[in-house]
Amino acid sequence: MRNLEQCKAEVLRRSENRIKERRKKRRQVVAWCVPLVLCMTVFLGIMLPSMGEKAKSAEWDYLDGAMTENGYVCDYQEVVIQDSGGSSRNVTSPEEVAELYEAIYALDPSIGTGQRETVGTVDPEAPIYGNEERTGRAITFFRTDGGSISYILEGNVLYNLTWNLEIPLTQEQAAELRAALGIEE
Amino acid sequence: MDNGASSYRRFLDGEESAFDEIMKELFYGLVFFIDRYVQDTQAAEDIAIDAFADLIVHRHKYNFKVTLKTYLYMVGRSRALDYLKRRKETEVLSLAENIEDAKSLEEMVLADERKRAINLALQKLPEDMGLAVHLIYLEGMTYKDAARIMKKSPKQVDNLLYRGKKELRILLGEDGEGFQ
């Protein structure tokens, strides 16, 4: 049997060894973790922007128009403005189409809010004047890929026919929209 | 007497010599206690050394809620049981080659002749009963501390002690008459 001094020396020796062992383990963990974190950072740095791009482009498709920092990018090429009598006016100038879209864009809350998800889809081929109660002006934006979005401006209400939305306008907004569309009361 | 807690506090504050005091006060008692489980003085010493090394390595594991002695005995018991499990698994039984060691350890821890007689009689008692008597009569612990170490309730310890005393009176014969 060892005497107390020997036992004490043994206690100190073992505790030192264990402390060294713990430090070694900690260093190993750090040695593994640092490169791992770096790798993850690089991986995420590569992956996240591309995922962001994907999401952004998906959003653009969804919104029928791509937003930019300063506003939006209009990808419509033609606008048909039609009255209930059947006479219509085609707008094909890119600047004018963009202007019209901007005027609508500012009023339609469904654009860019994701609200469209909550409303049903409408057959784009269906006649604009299917509902006889609506007698205002029909405004249809046509995209290069054939897609379209249709509105009816009736008094102070703008109907988004594509998404079945009723957008009440103020007197002022309705007047501004009429002016942009070149419609006289 | 706080069974080493104040010395350990001083050790944590950087006074290295306080650890010597703890060793001096508690080491052989712990070996003696562990030996009751493992029946191998060298193994008991080894386990006790590990328990003390734990005090240095894991400095803040002991939270001063129990006495340091109780804490060390709890660690010692748990390590002794682990050792027994390992020994059972490997079936390597180093039977008491160290009777001399056991004898000298007993003399070191139990200076009183009467306590040695009790210790001898304890070998014949069931393990839990012997342990309860050991902790309360030989180590002078409270029922609460003994219960903590044995992982039993104070009531269970009380029952074990009552039955242990009864058995010891029979085993010690006339000497046991005065055993309270």
Side-chain angles (χ1 to χ4, degrees):
Chain A
M1 211 175 139
R2 284 174 275 200
N3 64 36
L4 196 63
E5 278 307 307
Q6 287 172 317
C7 289
K8 196 190 136 198
E10 182 63 18
V11 167
L12 295 176
R13 193 186 62 77
R14 285 190 199 180
S15 58
E16 261 173 42
N17 283 350
R18 280 196 216 162
I19 290 168
K20 271 183 199 165
E21 198 65 32
R22 268 175 66 181
R23 280 187 192 146
K24 198 176 160 189
K25 272 185 192 164
R26 259 184 219 163
R27 274 201 297 270
Q28 279 175 341
V29 168
V30 170
W32 276 101
C33 281
V34 169
L36 197 72
V37 169
L38 281 175
C39 284
M40 277 177 70
T41 312
V42 171
F43 175 76
L44 290 176
I46 294 165
M47 286 305 289
L48 283 182
S50 65
M51 278 167 71
E53 283 300 316
K54 259 187 200 171
K56 214 171 181 182
S57 65
E59 196 183 8
W60 287 6
D61 289 346
Y62 174 72
L63 294 176
D64 301 325
M67 280 182 288
T68 65
E69 248 179 80
N70 302 320
Y72 66 96
V73 173
C74 178
D75 60 353
Y76 291 97
Q77 63 170 6
E78 187 182 2
V79 182
V80 178
I81 303 160
Q82 197 178 4
D83 64 21
S84 50
S87 58
S88 63
R89 179 168 78 90
N90 288 26
V91 180
T92 50
S93 143
E95 291 81 25
E96 217 176 328
V97 170
E99 253 174 57
L100 289 177
Y101 187 72
E102 190 173 12
I104 293 278
Y105 178 88
L107 301 171
D108 187 352
S110 72
I111 298 176
T113 59
Q115 192 181 333
R116 289 172 185 199
E117 282 178 312
T118 60
V119 295
T121 53
V122 168
D123 180 6
E125 300 301 319
I128 293 169
Y129 284 107
N131 189 340
E132 286 180 9
E133 286 173 19
R134 290 180 188 156
T135 53
R137 306 284 177 136
I139 308 123
T140 309
F141 291 80
F142 292 97
R143 225 166 35 194
T144 44
D145 63 3
S148 66
I149 183 166
S150 304
Y151 294 91
I152 285 184
L153 177 63
E154 193 179 273
N156 288 346
V157 183
L158 181 69
Y159 296 95
N160 180 332
L161 297 182
T162 310
W163 299 101
N164 275 344
L165 289 176
E166 188 179 315
I167 306 156
L169 306 177
T170 61
Q171 199 84 31
E172 217 171 63
Q173 285 173 325
E176 274 175 21
L177 186 59
R178 277 194 194 88
L181 294 167
I183 303 167
E184 284 172 21
E185 268 307 305
Chain B
M1 186 78 169
D2 62 355
N3 281 321
S6 64
S7 303
Y8 190 59
R9 216 180 278 276
R10 281 191 285 122
F11 170 69
L12 289 182
D13 289 340
E15 196 183 318
E16 296 288 328
S17 65
F19 197 75
D20 296 356
E21 289 170 27
I22 300 169
M23 285 281 290
K24 204 171 174 184
E25 193 180 327
L26 301 174
F27 184 74
Y28 285 117
L30 181 62
V31 176
F32 187 55
F33 169 70
I34 294 169
D35 192 36
R36 188 166 293 287
Y37 281 96
V38 298
Q39 301 291 319
D40 178 344
T41 313
Q42 279 180 8
E45 194 181 85
D46 205 51
I47 292 167
I49 287 172
D50 268 344
F52 272 88
D54 256 9
L55 273 186
I56 299 179
V57 178
H58 307 289
R59 289 180 182 227
H60 297 287
K61 238 180 180 177
Y62 171 57
N63 55 13
F64 295 93
K65 281 183 182 163
V66 293
T67 65
L68 185 66
K69 184 176 181 176
T70 306
Y71 173 75
L72 275 169
Y73 277 47
M74 285 162 80
V75 173
R77 177 187 180 269
S78 146
R79 283 179 174 267
L81 293 177
D82 280 350
Y83 169 81
L84 287 175
K85 210 170 149 190
R86 272 203 317 272
R87 195 170 70 175
K88 222 179 240 178
E89 280 166 4
T90 52
E91 290 295 331
V92 181
L93 280 164
S94 62
L95 287 169
E97 294 162 353
N98 44 5
I99 294 167
E100 273 306 306
D101 281 350
K103 189 89 184 146
S104 62
L105 179 66
E106 188 190 42
E107 280 166 12
M108 233 184 299
V109 176
L110 305 173
D112 187 348
E113 191 66 42
R114 187 177 152 71
K115 279 190 174 176
R116 275 187 231 166
I118 293 171
N119 183 47
L120 200 68
L122 284 184
Q123 320 282 338
K124 292 169 189 160
L125 293 187
E127 194 182 294
D128 275 355
M129 218 182 267
L131 211 60
V133 178
H134 177 117
L135 292 172
I136 289 166
Y137 280 96
L138 301 184
E139 300 284 354
M141 283 189 178
T142 62
Y143 280 31
K144 217 173 166 184
D145 284 345
R148 271 199 192 105
I149 293 166
M150 293 176 71
K151 295 201 189 300
K152 291 193 184 296
S153 69
K155 182 75 195 157
Q156 284 172 310
V157 172
D158 190 29
N159 288 339
L160 284 168
L161 201 66
Y162 174 76
R163 278 156 48 208
K165 276 196 300 190
K166 225 173 167 182
E167 293 280 327
L168 278 176
R169 270 192 212 111
I170 296 162
L171 289 167
L172 294 169
E174 279 185 13
D175 286 348
E177 284 303 312
F179 188 74
Q180 295 298 315

